[in-house]
Amino acid sequence: LRARSPNHQSENMPSHDRVIQRTASVEQRVEAIQAALDARGMNATDGVEELDHLAQEEWIPQNGARVVARAWVDPAFRDRLLANGREAVAELGFTLPKHHRHLVVLENTATVQNVICCTLCSCTAFTIIGLPPDWYKDLEYRSRVVRESRTVLREMGLDLSPEVEIRVWDTTADTRYMVLPTQPPETIGWPEDKLAEIVTRDSLIG
């Protein structure tokens, strides 16, 4: 047998000179990219701060709640909303990005329950109903609500009778959806601002 050098390392022995680098967190990677863009004069920090302001202060579910409340008290507005959602919400001062070419408003009734999803990612009409909640982005929701809509809604607290038809709407590249919930009968006659307070983000999703 050939003698081994004392410095020779067996393939089965662990290496003591291997450098193990810790993987940076998502936050650290974002900060690094942001810093690199800022260094090149692209003002990424200003853009991030602006988006944060929009997400926290302007792209909020209260916008959709105002739309719903107006539809509940104004039948003519409701008709316009169902005919052309994008134009109708503009009457209240709300706009959509250019690539959201269509806003389709889905009216719930005593016999029809609408629910929206985005099977490819997690798109919503975010300027109207706010950024999507975590459960909406979850792969399990996105896949199961299409195949097991009644079961998924029951697990989320909405137990519908078998007579109610469930319609699932999948967001496309240029079409966004918003659900128009059924007005609770005990709220008939309430003022518009009070009605808006009871409309939740989840009800706008379905």
Side-chain angles (χ1 to χ4, degrees):
L1 296 176
R2 194 171 72 183
R4 293 177 178 269
S5 165
N7 295 327
H8 181 85
Q9 188 174 41
S10 168
E11 294 180 358
N12 296 324
M13 295 177 61
S15 171
H16 298 292
D17 58 358
R18 181 182 302 164
V19 177
I20 301 176
Q21 296 183 338
R22 181 175 59 86
T23 301
S25 66
V26 172
E27 292 79 6
Q28 290 171 322
R29 280 177 272 175
V30 169
E31 290 175 359
I33 294 172
Q34 184 174 321
L37 293 174
D38 282 343
R40 289 162 176 77
M42 298 182 185
N43 297 324
T45 296
D46 291 344
V48 169
E49 290 177 353
E50 180 183 2
L51 286 173
D52 182 66
H53 167 75
L54 290 170
Q56 299 293 332
E57 304 295 334
E58 297 189 30
W59 299 339
I60 52 177
Q62 287 85 343
N63 296 342
R66 283 184 54 200
V67 173
V68 170
R70 175 64 59 85
W72 283 347
V73 301
D74 185 341
F77 175 80
R78 171 187 159 278
D79 291 343
R80 295 194 299 274
L81 182 68
L82 297 175
N84 189 322
R86 186 183 180 98
E87 290 186 1
V89 299
E91 297 178 26
L92 301 182
F94 302 131
T95 59
L96 286 84
K98 289 183 179 180
H99 66 285
H100 293 185
R101 294 177 58 195
H102 308 287
L103 174 64
V104 178
V105 178
L106 310 162
E107 184 179 25
N108 282 350
T109 69
T111 58
V112 174
Q113 172 73 29
N114 295 283
V115 61
I116 65 176
C117 69
C118 182
T119 55
L120 291 180
C121 49
S122 56
C123 295
T124 63
F126 56 83
T127 60
I128 305 300
I129 67 177
L131 296 179
D134 289 342
W135 58 262
Y136 183 88
K137 296 182 285 186
D138 191 88
L139 178 59
E140 184 176 6
Y141 171 78
R142 287 155 43 202
S143 59
R144 289 186 61 216
V145 75
V146 177
R147 298 179 287 106
E148 312 170 61
S149 53
R150 194 173 301 274
T151 301
V152 170
L153 292 178
R154 184 184 306 115
E155 291 172 355
M156 299 181 75
L158 182 60
D159 193 4
L160 299 169
S161 66
E163 293 76 22
V164 176
E165 176 188 358
I166 301 175
R167 298 176 183 173
V168 182
W169 302 80
D170 191 1
T171 296
T172 67
D174 62 359
T175 301
R176 297 294 184 267
Y177 297 102
M178 187 195 87
V179 174
L180 175 59
T182 303
Q183 182 177 0
E186 66 274 14
T187 67
I188 301 296
W190 285 15
E192 190 174 329
D193 56 349
K194 186 176 180 181
L195 288 171
E197 293 176 359
I198 69 171
V199 181
T200 66
R201 177 188 57 189
D202 289 1
S203 69
L204 299 171
I205 293 174

